[in-house]
Amino acid sequence: TGKLNANVNGAQKSMLPKMKMIPIPEKAYGSFFEGDCYIILYNKKTSNGFITDLHYWIGKDSSQDEQGAAAFYITQIDDMLGGSPVQHREVEGHESEAFKSYFKSGIIYKKGGVASGFRHVETNMYNIRRLLHVKGKKHVSATEVELSWDSFNKDDVFLLDLGKVLIQWNGPDCNIAEKSRGLALARSIRDDERGGRAQIGIIDNEKDSPDLMQIMNTVLGERRGALGVGIPDEKADELQKANVRLYHVYEKDNNLVVQEIATRPLTQDLLQHEDCHILDQGGFKIYVWRGKDSSKEEKKAAFSRAVSFIQAKGYPATTNVEVVNDGAESAMFKQLFKRWTEKEETQGLGKVCTTSKIAKVEQVKFDVSQLHARPELAAEQRMVDDASGKVEVWRIEDLHMQPVDPRTYGQFYGGDCYLVLYTYLISGRTHYIIYMWQGRHASVDEITACAFNAVELDKKYGNEPVQVRVTMGREPQHFLAIFKGSLIIYERGTSRAQNNEPEPLVRLFQVRGTDEFNTKTIEVPARASSLNSNDVFLLTTNQVCYLWCGKGCSGDEREMAKIVANIVSKRDKQTVLEGQEPVEFWAALGGKAPYASDKRFQESTVRYEPRLFECSNQTGRFIMTEVVGFCQDDLDEDDVMLLDTWEEIFLWIGKTSNTYEKNEAVSSAKDYLKTHPAGRDLTTPIIMVKQGYEPLTFTGWFSAWDPYKWSRTSPAYKPHFNSNVNSSSNYQNNNAPSVVSAVTNGNGAYPREVLINKTVDELPEGVDPAKKEYYLSDADFHDIFGKSKNEFYQMPRWKQQNEKKQHGLF
């Protein structure tokens, strides 16, 4: 959808001989001379028009004059375009993910440049002898290095370019992704620079390619000594990125004054229109925000101030800088704030937010028939289908699944945990979703058992279901819809038959929703201060059930409340309009009291663009690599990917991803939420999807999703891995766990004090909370249980669980 223009006015690839801008031929896009500076303009069409990004790229051997001229031209182009582009400062080897995403085949750094007297290579010339060092997984870059075996290492890919012959040498320890990306780069050089008139040879194993090795040894000489190891890519971890600070930066008496205003989480009102601000994202990236009422001089000095700020803070000169304009902020900038309000922003299912002091909330009917015709709509509305599928509900009781009476489907109690299996058909194929609903007052044991039973249910259906963790009060849109408007959440208590707790004489329920797709009823404290003029409330007593209708509620909301009233109370129903309440109504609530009476201001969050990440914490730190401008091809089968849509977090599990990554997926998602600079809600739903079984709510975020992609590449594909959100190993049978690959003290065991009476979040990474006892040493295990592990796992499961409870290991 994006486009790089190749002319001066929309110029995006321009070198600066004698400080002029020269358009670069489109075939040369992605090749950069280290002695030059370039200007790149990128236009992307959106539903609201165009988004424009301006980048100026600094080669490591470019002169100060060239760098200054590039910054000057950027300002001129920005003025010409009305101050709407987002501006970026890029340094060779440290480019932003957005910049790298423009060049799908990779970036090539070439030695020389106009200023150094090197002749730029024409696209039809073959008298080339160069060696390219290829690095990167999602976005590769290739740097021209010395034509010698000394430049090689065993971890990376190298490309020997001899004009009409390209030899790709794959290091013995490089990964599959690096090999495939290296080949894509080789093909790009062949097709774009050589017009398709070049041959590509690949060396995966030197012994199997004697002819190609002979050519390499002829060019490079005989290799002496062993190959060294490559330098690992440096990635900023999430803790660093979460450390955001906002500054007011200005000049006073020819000195740069830096005044810190606030730190995480930031709010939009901190940005003053008459000022310019710098937002420092932990030294990972520097943003300059230019207020619309700031002076022209201040706006022009944006980049120079950012560079001065970088120097003052002692950050590397390669630190990435982004300049954003008031009213035209980038999605990456906005997502650093707790919430971001924009005019006419749509929120939720048919709610429109305006920025006036008291917002008018309009309810718009939602046409579910459009879901399959428009996958992007399914994703935005978080609806996999029209909610007409089959619903089955179980309650976790004594750590096992107990079927719930279908007559009470939709009623959830805060003291319980539930499993909901939703089965539906798309194009004749059966799909499954397992919702794990966790009550606010449920015990840790029940929450753990809920996750464990979800895995067992998942296995029963061939490891195909999508797993969704749902915390009380944060139910996804589709979860509401499958209960047809009768979703009722009781604050406390349980739905168990042996419940001995007396039911409260007076209860108050808040009903929100206009139809069977979006209605939810929540129990709130039975006092007058809980009321809100925008909604309908149900007040149940032992004599009557009052339907209290606030002045701001709609007719549709009242009709839905009548349906719910017949579920929560068998007493007579009495409609009460706000301002006309009988004395008995207030008496049941303990007397009159002030309550919210203004029309609801629809608080909006960031207008969020979905973000895709590759997850990894194998370095000891939680590292996420973002894939900018992502598509389906970026979902690697050997990876776990995280898709953040703000309202939900998706974890996509590739069929060949390693066990460690799969087991740590949900933990990684929780870490991501904890460390997000905007201070994200930790109860955000986490949804686990598996390769080949993606729902519309996931695929709708990808343009041109191919549902047959996986089946073509692997016809008999059927995943058989454990997808437990809390488990780190499979079970060989109902009792004994298989061998686990835990990171422990060297012998596969942890000290007892780090396992006994510890919650899920307190356990060491990699420990399965459902099998804490397995991580004890044999000696500790026998000391605690009085038997060996083998004897223990021969016992019935219920006995195992009872003993684990006694010793604080359940």
Side-chain angles (χ1 to χ4, degrees), residues 736-757:
S738 63
V739 178
V740 295
S741 56
V743 181
T744 59
N745 58 12
N747 60 3
Y750 284 102
R752 64 173 74 185
E753 57 267 22
V754 304
L755 299 169
I756 294 175
N757 294 321

Side-chain angles (χ1 to χ4, degrees), residues 548-611:
W548 184 86
C549 303
K551 293 177 180 177
C553 74
S554 68
D556 287 338
E557 289 172 319
R558 289 193 289 271
E559 290 304 312
M560 291 307 301
K562 289 177 183 177
I563 296 172
V564 176
N566 290 323
I567 300 173
V568 300
S569 175
K570 302 304 179 188
R571 306 288 181 184
D572 290 339
K573 311 303 184 296
Q574 182 178 334
T575 300
V576 175
L577 301 180
E578 182 178 5
Q580 301 177 24
E581 302 87 353
V583 174
E584 294 80 11
F585 177 86
W586 295 118
L589 291 174
K592 286 186 177 182
Y595 57 84
S597 57
D598 288 340
K599 281 197 173 182
R600 181 179 300 122
F601 175 69
Q602 201 66 28
E603 283 190 334
S604 85
T605 52
V606 180
R607 178 174 283 176
Y608 203 69
E609 290 188 12
R611 303 172 69 191

Side-chain angles (χ1 to χ4, degrees), residues 264-317:
R264 172 183 188 249
L266 302 176
T267 54
Q268 187 180 359
D269 58 355
L270 293 167
L271 301 171
Q272 301 299 311
H273 298 298
E274 62 274 10
D275 289 331
C276 285
H277 295 281
I278 283 182
L279 193 156
D280 178 5
Q281 192 179 2
F284 165 72
K285 190 169 185 177
I286 304 298
Y287 294 87
V288 182
W289 183 84
R290 306 192 300 187
K292 60 184 178 184
D293 297 329
S294 59
S295 68
K296 227 173 188 180
E297 291 71 25
E298 281 186 306
K299 290 177 180 175
K300 284 186 176 179
F303 273 121
S304 60
R305 283 186 174 172
V307 172
S308 299
F309 178 84
I310 288 169
Q311 293 169 345
K313 296 284 283 187
Y315 293 149

Side-chain angles (χ1 to χ4, degrees), residues 61 83 114 174 303 333 355 382 392 478 535 627 694 734 807:
D61 296 328
V114 173
C174 72
F303 273 121
F333 179 80
T355 53
R382 303 187 294 286
E392 297 172 83
H478 185 258
D535 296 320
V627 184
E694 299 86 354
N734 287 336
H807 300 294

Side-chain angles (χ1 to χ4, degrees), residues 369-419:
S369 65
Q370 298 181 39
L371 285 175
H372 297 292
R374 296 176 56 197
E376 72 281 0
L377 183 67
E380 289 169 5
Q381 303 295 353
R382 303 187 294 286
M383 295 284 287
V384 299
D385 72 340
D386 61 2
S388 63
K390 180 184 177 183
V391 178
E392 297 172 83
V393 184
W394 295 266
R395 180 181 56 255
I396 302 302
E397 190 171 326
D398 295 329
L399 310 183
H400 294 286
M401 294 166 56
Q402 294 295 332
V404 170
D405 186 341
R407 291 174 296 180
T408 64
Y409 278 7
Q411 299 182 51
F412 293 85
Y413 289 78
D416 286 333
C417 287
Y418 299 83
L419 285 177

Side-chain angles (χ1 to χ4, degrees), residues 8 22 68 113 183 192 220 275-276 333 340 345 357 373 457 488 519 521 606 652 656 708 714 736-737 751 761 797 805:
V8 176
I22 296 178
L183 182 57
D192 296 339
L220 303 171
D275 289 331
C276 285
F333 179 80
W340 193 277
E345 181 165 352
K357 203 162 190 179
L457 190 60
I488 303 167
T519 298
T521 301
V606 180
W652 183 86
T656 56
Y708 304 106
S714 185
D761 291 335
R797 178 168 293 174
K805 284 182 187 177

